[in-house]
């Protein structure tokens, strides 16, 4: 158990809808990163939040957005869902430097139909 | 742009074999390297973390090595067991604390 929790575990949405995924970071960690993992592939970096501000972003369009709250928990929002957004979304908790490594939650499986 | 490759993509071995999983990366300016295990449909479980200044790390039957100058890491699993069946992912961390993952090695250990 990593102490990183994500909700919900599974979600089915219709193309064009919006979705919000949530993540609670491990105690003592102030940095949260989000990754998208398509079936059969390695995770791809979406963005990272540190002290409530976006602190790095991968090659994802602006309809992927996020928030971090004062307790370091985080949300990932995706607008105008597309079929290709179907994936496992992973949240990782770490210190600012990542010296101790990243600790992942169990993921949210999003299916867009 | 960092690229991480894992070979082989899939591996099937009989129980008891020792095996080596390979990970290569194109940019040697890494902060550290982490090996993860992923069971089907689940999140990632951290196995071993190697800092850029280290050569290897060990945990039980697992040993990971790092050769930063050549852009390579290996994960050695001794005396494999059916419970080791999973996907193994390596990831390198840059100075911005972003992880770049390989595509993974799907391991099946047959009883």
């Amino acid at each position: 158990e990593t102490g990183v929790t994500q909700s919900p575990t599974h979600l089915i949405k219709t193309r064009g809808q919006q979705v919000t995924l949530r993540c609670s970071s491990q105690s003592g960690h102030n940095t949260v990163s989000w990754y998208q993992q398509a079936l059969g592939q390695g995770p791809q970096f979406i963005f990272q939040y540190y002290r409530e501000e976006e602190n790095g972003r991968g090659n994802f369009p602006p309809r992927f957005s996020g928030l971090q709250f004062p307790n370091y928990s985080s949300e990932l929002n995706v607008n105008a869902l597309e079929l290709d957004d179907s994936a496992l979304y992973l949240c990782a908790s770490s210190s600012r430097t990542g010296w101790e490594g990243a600790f992942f939650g169990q993921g949210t499986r999003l299916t867009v139909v | 742009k960092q690229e991480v490759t894992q070979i082989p993509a899939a591996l099937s071995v009989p129980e008891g074999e020792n095996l080596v999983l390979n990970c290569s990366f194109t940019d040697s300016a890494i902060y550290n390297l982490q090996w993860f295990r992923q069971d089907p449909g689940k999140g990632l479980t951290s196995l071993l973390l190697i800092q850029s200044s280290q050569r290897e790390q060990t945990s039980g039957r697992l040993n990971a090595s790092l050769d930063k100058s050549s852009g390579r890491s290996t994960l050695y699993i001794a005396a494999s067991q059916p419970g080791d069946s999973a996907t193994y992912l390596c990831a390198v961390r840059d100075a911005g604390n972003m992880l770049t993952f390989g595509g993974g090695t799907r391991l099946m250990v047959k009883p």
Side-chain angles (χ1 to χ4, degrees):
Chain A
E1 291 293 323
T2 63
V4 180
T5 59
Q6 292 186 242
S7 62
T9 55
H10 296 86
L11 202 52
I12 299 175
K13 288 287 190 178
T14 303
R15 188 172 49 185
Q17 285 188 315
Q18 178 266 344
V19 68
T20 297
L21 311 182
R22 296 178 174 83
C23 172
S24 295
S25 63
Q26 183 166 302
S27 177
H29 285 172
N30 56 19
T31 300
V32 173
S33 303
W34 287 91
Y35 292 81
Q36 180 195 65
Q37 186 179 26
L39 201 60
Q41 298 182 20
Q44 298 291 317
F45 175 72
I46 303 175
F47 46 55
Q48 180 182 101
Y49 277 82
Y50 169 67
R51 290 191 174 178
E52 303 178 53
E53 294 201 359
E54 188 178 291
N55 187 46
R57 189 176 186 93
N59 189 28
F60 281 80
R63 59 189 185 84
F64 285 77
S65 63
L67 285 172
Q68 187 179 34
F69 301 98
N71 66 355
Y72 305 128
S73 66
S74 177
E75 287 182 355
L76 164 65
N77 299 291
V78 186
N79 292 323
L81 284 166
E82 301 177 359
L83 297 179
D84 284 349
D85 295 334
S86 296
L88 182 67
Y89 288 84
L90 296 163
C91 165
S93 166
S94 71
S95 65
R96 172 64 184 94
T97 64
W99 175 255
E100 304 89 357
F103 298 88
F104 283 79
Q106 79 279 18
T108 294
R109 170 67 65 186
L110 172 65
T111 302
V112 182
V113 297
Chain B
K1 177 190 170 190
Q2 178 74 267
E3 292 183 4
V4 180
T5 303
Q6 291 188 245
I7 294 173
L11 185 61
S12 181
V13 300
E15 182 177 5
E17 275 204 6
N18 302 323
L19 50 99
V20 175
L21 308 182
N22 296 292
C23 171
S24 62
F25 47 94
T26 55
D27 186 348
S28 62
I30 64 169
Y31 195 65
N32 56 37
L33 183 148
Q34 202 164 356
W35 282 93
F36 295 91
R37 169 186 172 135
Q38 186 175 33
D39 294 296
K42 305 295 186 182
L44 308 184
T45 300
S46 180
L47 298 173
L48 289 165
L49 171 69
I50 311 178
Q51 304 298 342
S52 61
S53 59
Q54 296 176 321
R55 297 285 291 180
E56 66 178 321
Q57 284 287 333
T58 298
S59 176
R61 295 183 294 107
L62 305 180
N63 175 277
S65 67
L66 174 63
D67 184 342
K68 199 174 76 160
S69 61
S70 68
R72 295 184 181 188
S73 177
T74 61
L75 178 66
Y76 176 82
I77 303 176
S80 58
Q81 303 171 358
D84 295 331
S85 298
T87 295
Y88 291 81
L89 293 156
C90 74
V92 297
R93 175 176 285 97
D94 62 18
N97 198 15
M98 181 186 96
L99 290 175
T100 302
F101 283 85
T105 294
R106 292 185 306 281
L107 173 65
M108 173 69 71
V109 181
K110 298 172 290 186

